[in-house]
C-alpha cells in the first residue's frame, strides 16, 4: 500500500537471522540500532554487516542511537572504507555520517564525590544511604552494587544499622538482581507508600535495562561484574571491574527522571576525570566467539579475520573458536561450513555445542529429551535464588538423578508438566516458575526448528544411556576425570589438564564420579564446572575420534 510506513521492532539477534535468507535486508529502507553503547556481540556483528551492506545499498539509511556512545568514533567507523581480502573493492571515501544530539528531558542531577577512596564500598554505600535518609527530602534511593552477594550483605547490614540507630521507620529495603523470583522483582516496581522511602539495591540491570519510577537519589559504587573469557585456558571469569565514564553518567541519569536529583559516587572526582575509562570493553573483546563465528560463516563471511569490526576481537579467541567448530564437524579443512552438519548447526540459535548435541540426539533416538535439556541450558537457572540453602538442597534431592544435572533437569520438567504447570508446585519445590515457563517456550521454538531442518522427534522412553551419549557428542571437549587419590574432589580436564571442581549447585557435588562432562566452567576462588553429568570415557572416541585418542585407564583408576 503506497504512503504507508511499516515499522518493525526486533532484536539485533533476530535481524541477524533474517540476513541468512535476505543478506542485503532488501525489505528495509531504514534501520535504527538503539542502545548501541551496550556493545553486545550481536550489536557489533550487526554494525559490521550493516556497513558492508551499505556498500551494496548506498540508499539504505542507518540510525545509530545511544545515550552515552562516543559518537565521533562510531561516525568514523561508518565513514572509513577499508579493503579486505574476500570483500568487494573499495568504493572510495564517503560522506561523513551526520551526528545529531538531542537534549534529554531529564532534570538536573548534582554529583557528589568522596574525598578519599573508600576501602569497603558495601559499608560506604550503607553509610551514604542512611545519611541521605536522615538529611534529604523524600524520594527513593537506588544503590548500584556488583552482584547478589554484595547486595544481600548490604540489605542485611542496612537493615541492622537502621534498626540500631532508630532510622528504620519508613524504610523499605529491596534487592534487585536477575536471580530473584518474579514476585520479589515486582516489589521493586510497586509504588512507594505515602510516608515511606524505598531503597533499591541493584546490579547494573537498573542502569539501562529497566526504569524505576520515583528514584531521586543514586549511590554508585563504581564497579560492576563483567564476564571475561580467556581463550588460552578456555575459562570464563566473572570479574568485579571498574565501570566506564559512560556507565557512570548513565547511572547518575537515573536520579533525574522525575525531578532534580543527586548522585553520590563512592570514588573521587580525580579518579573519574583522570583514570576511569571513557567506554567499557565491548563484549566482542571479552567473550567466547564460537557462536559469533558460526553466525558469520552462515552469512557467507569466509574471511573472518578480515571482517570490519567496530572493535576487533582477540586473534586467540578467534582461533580458539575455529578450532572448536572444526572439532565439532561444523567447519571443514577450508574453514567453511560443512554440509549438512554445519548448516544445520547454524540454523539452531544456540551455542554450537548444544546444537551438535541436538543433531546427535536425532540419530540416537532421544531428541525429545535432549531438546528439553537444551531449553534448560539456555536460561540462567531453573532454581529460585534463596537464602534457605538447606531447604533448596532438600528440594533438589527430590529430583536428583545419579546421572547428574542434565537428567535432573528432565525430572524437574516432567514434574512441572505433571503438576499442570502449577506455580504453587514450583513454590513448594524452589523451582523458578517464570524460568520454567521460559523453558516451555524455548522448547517449542526448538521443536519447530528441529522439524524444519529434518531432525526426527522421538523419545527414548527413559533410556538415559542414549541421553548421556547425545550430551557427550556435543560436549566431548568438556570431559574431566577425577584425580587419583583426590580427597578434595579435584578433577583434571582431559584437554588441557586444568584443575577443576564440581560446583556446589550441582547434584553431583560431593558424589565425585570418576568421569564427567560439564556444560560451563567459571572461575571464582576455584575453577568450577557447572551442569555436570557422568559419562563413560569410551564415549569420547565414539563421539570424536579425530579429537581424542582415548587410552584405557591405568590400574589405579586414573
Amino acid at each position: 500500500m503506497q504512503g504507508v510506513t511499516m515499522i518493525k521492532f526486533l532484536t539485533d539477534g533476530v535481524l541477524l537471522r533474517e540476513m541468512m535468507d535476505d543478506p542485503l535486508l532488501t525489505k528495509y529502507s531504514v534501520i535504527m540500532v538503539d542502545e548501541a553503547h551496550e556493545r553486545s556481540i550481536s550489536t557489533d556483528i550487526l554494525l559490521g554487516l550493516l556497513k558492508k551492506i551499505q556498500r551494496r545499498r548506498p540508499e539504505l539509511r542507518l540510525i545509530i542511537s545511544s545515550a552515552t556512545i562516543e559518537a565521533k568514533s562510531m561516525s568514523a567507523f561508518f565513514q572509513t572504507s577499508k579493503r579486505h581480502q574476500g570483500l568487494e573493492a573499495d568504493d572510495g571515501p564517503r560522506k561523513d555520517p551526520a551526528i545529531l544530539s538531542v537534549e534529554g528531558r531529564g532534570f538536573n542531577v548534582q554529583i557528589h564525590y568522596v574525598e578519599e577512596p573508600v576501602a569497603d564500598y558495601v559499608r560506604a554505600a550503607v553509610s551514604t544511604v542512611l545519611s541521605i535518609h536522615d538529611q534529604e527530602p523524600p524520594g527513593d534511593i537506588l544503590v548500584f552494587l556488583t552482584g547478589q552477594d554484595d547486595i544481600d550483605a548490604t540489605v542485611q547490614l542496612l537493615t541492622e544499622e537502621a534498626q540500631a540507630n532508630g532510622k528504620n521507620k519508613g524504610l523499605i529495603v529491596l534487592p534487585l538482581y536477575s536471580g530473584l523470583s518474579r514476585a520479589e522483582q515486582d516489589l521493586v516496581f510497586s509504588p512507594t507508600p505515602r510516608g515511606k522511602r524505598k531503597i533499591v539495591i541493584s546490579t547494573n540491570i537498573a542502569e539501562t535495562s529497566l526504569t524505576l519510577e520515583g528514584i531521586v537519589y543514586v549511590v554508585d559504587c563504581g564497579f560492576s561484574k563483567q564476564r571475561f573469557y580467556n581463550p588460552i585456558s578456555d575459562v570464563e571469569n566473572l570479574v568485579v571491574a571498574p565501570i566506564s565514564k559512560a556507565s557512570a553518567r548513565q547511572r547518575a541519569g537515573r536520579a533525574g527522571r522525575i525531578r532534580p536529583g543527586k548522585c553520590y559516587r563512592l570514588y573521587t572526582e580525580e579518579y573519574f576525570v583522570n583514570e576511569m575509562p571513557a567506554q567499557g570493553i565491548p563484549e566482542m573483546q571479552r567473550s567466547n566467539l564460537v557462536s559469533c563465528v558460526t553466525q558469520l560463516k552462515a552469512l557467507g563471511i569466509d574471511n573472518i579475520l578480515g571482517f570490519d569490526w567496530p572493535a576487533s576481537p582477540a586473534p586467540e579467541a578467534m582461533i580458539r573458536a575455529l578450532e572448536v567448530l572444526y572439532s565439532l564437524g561444523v567447519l571443514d579443512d577450508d574453514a567453511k561450513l560443512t554440509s549438512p552438519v554445519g548448516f544445520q548447526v547454524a540454523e539452531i540459535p544456540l551455542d554450537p555445542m548444544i546444537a551438535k548435541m541436538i543433531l546427535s540426539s536425532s540419530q540416537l533416538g532421544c531428541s525429545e529429551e535432549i531438546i528439553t535439556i537444551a531449553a534448560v541450558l539456555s536460561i540462567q537457572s531453573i532454581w529460585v535464588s534463596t537464602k534457605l540453602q538447606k531447604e533448596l538442597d532438600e528440594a533438589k534431592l527430590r529430583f536428583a538423578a545419579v546421572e547428574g544435572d542434565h537428567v535432573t533437569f528432565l525430572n524437574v520438567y516432567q514434574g512441572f508438566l505433571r503438576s499442570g504447570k502449577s506455580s504453587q508446585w514450583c513454590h513448594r519445590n524452589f523451582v523458578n516458575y517464570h524460568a520454567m515457563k521460559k523453558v516451555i517456550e524455548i522448547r517449542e521454538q526448538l521443536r519447530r526448528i528441529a522439524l524444519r531442518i529434518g531432525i526426527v522427534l522421538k523419545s527414548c522412553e527413559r533410556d538415559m544411556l542414549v541421553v548421556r551419549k547425545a550430551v557427550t557428542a556435543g560436549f566431548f571437549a568438556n570431559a574431566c576425570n577425577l584425580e587419583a587419590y583426590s580427597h578434595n574432589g579435584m578433577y583434571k580436564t582431559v584437554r588441557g589438564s586444568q584443575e577443576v571442581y564440581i560446583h556446589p549447585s550441582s547434584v553431583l557435588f560431593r558424589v565425585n564420579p570418576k568421569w564427567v562432562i560439564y556444560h560451563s566452567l567459571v572461575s571464582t576462588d576455584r575453577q568450577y564446572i557447572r551442569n555436570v553429568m557422568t559419562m563413560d570415557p569410551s564415549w569420547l572416541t565414539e563421539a570424536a575420534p579425530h579429537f581424542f585418542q582415548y587410552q584405557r585407564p591405568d590400574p589405579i583408576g586414573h
Side-chain angles (χ1 to χ4, degrees):
M1 184 185 299
Q2 290 187 349
V4 176
T5 300
M6 304 294 291
I7 300 176
K8 183 176 181 179
F9 294 89
L10 65 171
T11 65
D12 44 16
V14 171
L15 189 58
L16 285 174
R17 299 203 74 79
E18 283 195 13
M19 286 187 190
M20 292 186 184
D21 297 322
D22 182 13
L24 295 179
L25 296 175
T26 54
K27 60 185 177 182
Y28 299 105
S29 58
V30 180
I31 294 175
M32 179 175 180
V33 181
D34 195 15
E35 303 287 6
H37 60 271
E38 294 190 3
R39 299 298 299 275
S40 68
I41 289 181
S42 292
T43 296
D44 272 18
I45 295 175
L46 182 60
L47 292 174
L49 289 169
L50 288 174
K51 178 178 177 178
K52 190 176 184 330
I53 289 172
Q54 272 203 319
R55 293 175 182 148
R56 299 282 296 276
R57 291 188 59 203
E59 80 284 359
L60 175 65
R61 295 185 179 184
L62 298 180
I63 302 171
I64 314 299
S65 67
S66 164
T68 60
I69 202 168
E70 177 52 53
K72 289 184 179 179
S73 63
M74 187 57 64
S75 173
F77 169 71
F78 278 97
Q79 192 275 334
T80 56
S81 188
K82 299 178 181 178
R83 188 186 301 272
H84 295 295
Q85 282 188 341
L87 297 181
E88 62 273 11
D90 260 342
D91 51 8
R94 285 175 277 172
K95 184 179 178 181
D96 288 354
I99 299 177
L100 302 178
S101 296
V102 180
E103 289 296 324
R105 292 183 296 173
F107 294 89
N108 182 54
V109 177
Q110 294 181 27
I111 307 294
H112 299 270
Y113 296 91
V114 295
E115 294 182 1
E116 299 290 337
V118 299
D120 184 342
Y121 58 74
V122 168
R123 289 195 170 275
V126 170
S127 174
T128 304
V129 167
L130 291 176
S131 177
I132 294 170
H133 181 56
D134 193 38
Q135 300 173 18
E136 297 291 343
D140 293 342
I141 304 171
L142 173 60
V143 182
F144 284 102
L145 291 176
T146 59
Q148 179 179 345
D149 291 342
D150 280 348
I151 290 172
D152 289 341
T154 303
V155 169
Q156 182 177 351
L157 185 60
L158 182 57
T159 304
E160 291 172 354
E161 292 207 9
Q163 289 176 343
N165 298 330
K167 298 178 181 179
N168 59 315
K169 291 183 179 179
L171 283 185
I172 303 173
V173 184
L174 299 171
L176 178 61
Y177 48 83
S178 59
L180 291 173
S181 67
R182 176 60 64 88
E184 290 173 303
Q185 291 182 24
D186 287 345
L187 293 174
V188 172
F189 298 99
S190 60
T192 305
R194 184 181 296 274
K196 302 281 187 179
R197 190 197 297 270
K198 187 160 58 182
I199 302 171
V200 179
I201 319 292
S202 175
T203 62
N204 59 352
I205 191 175
E207 191 177 305
T208 55
S209 301
L210 49 86
T211 298
L212 303 175
E213 298 296 333
I215 299 298
V216 178
Y217 308 99
V218 165
V219 180
D220 175 15
C221 76
F223 293 92
S224 68
K225 275 190 177 177
Q226 300 178 33
R227 295 187 182 276
F228 284 87
Y229 173 70
N230 184 334
I232 306 301
S233 61
D234 194 31
V235 175
E236 187 176 67
N237 295 315
L238 196 57
V239 178
V240 175
I243 62 171
S244 65
K245 288 178 181 176
S247 289
R249 294 189 185 100
Q250 193 79 7
R251 291 181 176 189
R254 303 285 97 180
R257 298 184 68 86
I258 61 170
R259 71 173 199 236
K262 295 183 179 181
C263 176
Y264 298 81
R265 291 173 172 167
L266 303 181
Y267 41 91
T268 65
E269 186 173 11
E270 181 185 6
Y271 171 76
F272 174 81
V273 173
N274 299 323
E275 297 183 47
M276 185 175 278
Q279 299 287 333
I281 300 173
E283 189 180 11
M284 178 68 66
Q285 296 179 333
R286 51 184 175 85
S287 299
N288 187 330
L289 300 180
V290 171
S291 295
C292 165
V293 171
T294 307
Q295 278 189 311
L296 288 175
K297 289 291 183 181
L299 290 166
I301 310 296
D302 289 326
N303 183 14
I304 299 292
L305 295 177
F307 185 70
D308 201 356
W309 305 95
S312 297
E316 296 85 358
M318 195 65 73
I319 292 168
R320 173 75 185 187
L322 292 169
E323 289 175 347
V324 171
L325 291 172
Y326 180 76
S327 71
L328 288 169
V330 175
L331 298 181
D332 60 19
D333 291 344
D334 297 319
K336 296 182 182 295
L337 285 180
T338 57
S339 181
V341 172
F343 288 97
Q344 288 177 315
V345 165
E347 284 287 328
I348 301 174
L350 296 174
D351 182 288
M353 286 183 167
I354 298 179
K356 182 63 183 293
M357 175 181 78
I358 294 173
L359 292 181
S360 300
S361 71
S362 179
Q363 298 156 1
L364 291 165
C366 56
S367 51
E368 292 282 8
E369 287 80 7
I370 288 297
I371 285 175
T372 301
I373 291 172
V376 175
L377 293 177
S378 300
I379 63 173
Q380 188 171 6
S381 176
I382 60 171
W383 304 105
V384 170
S385 179
T386 177
K387 296 177 183 177
L388 305 174
Q389 191 60 47
K390 181 181 178 183
E391 288 84 350
L392 175 60
D393 291 341
E394 290 173 353
K396 285 184 179 181
L397 285 175
R398 292 196 283 272
F399 303 99
V402 294
E403 296 90 348
D405 296 311
H406 299 72
V407 181
T408 299
F409 295 151
L410 291 176
N411 293 341
V412 175
Y413 175 76
Q414 291 299 328
F416 182 59
L417 293 186
R418 285 195 297 269
S419 76
K421 304 177 184 177
S422 164
S423 59
Q424 289 81 10
W425 178 89
C426 288
H427 180 74
R428 288 195 305 271
N429 291 287
F430 289 84
V431 173
N432 189 319
Y433 172 66
H434 293 280
M436 291 307 298
K437 286 178 66 177
K438 190 68 176 176
V439 167
I440 297 286
E441 179 184 326
I442 294 172
R443 189 180 187 280
E444 286 306 308
Q445 292 175 354
L446 290 177
R447 290 185 88 253
R448 290 195 295 270
I449 293 170
L451 289 171
R452 190 177 74 237
I453 64 177
I455 290 177
V456 178
L457 295 178
K458 183 179 179 182
S459 171
C460 63
E461 305 298 339
R462 301 299 300 176
D463 181 0
M464 292 302 112
L465 179 66
V466 292
V467 168
R468 290 156 66 207
K469 283 190 172 185
V471 174
T472 304
F475 290 89
F476 55 81
N478 292 356
C480 306
N481 68 316
L482 185 67
E483 279 288 274
Y485 305 117
S486 173
H487 300 294
N488 61 350
M490 185 183 77
Y491 285 77
K492 285 283 187 74
T493 58
V494 174
R495 301 286 292 186
S497 294
Q498 293 186 71
E499 295 181 1
V500 296
Y501 299 82
I502 294 178
H503 195 273
S505 64
S506 172
V507 298
L508 293 181
F509 182 60
R510 295 195 181 93
V511 176
N512 296 333
K514 287 186 177 180
W515 287 87
V516 295
I517 287 274
Y518 64 88
H519 170 238
S520 61
L521 195 158
V522 294
S523 179
T524 52
D525 56 325
R526 286 177 167 180
Q527 310 266 64
Y528 285 109
I529 52 178
R530 297 179 66 103
N531 298 329
V532 184
M533 183 196 74
T534 61
M535 48 83 68
D536 187 310
S538 65
W539 299 346
L540 297 176
T541 47
E542 289 180 27
H546 57 289
F547 192 78
F548 284 106
Q549 190 62 45
Y550 170 65
Q551 295 180 350
R552 190 174 296 277
D554 60 35
I556 61 174
H558 184 71

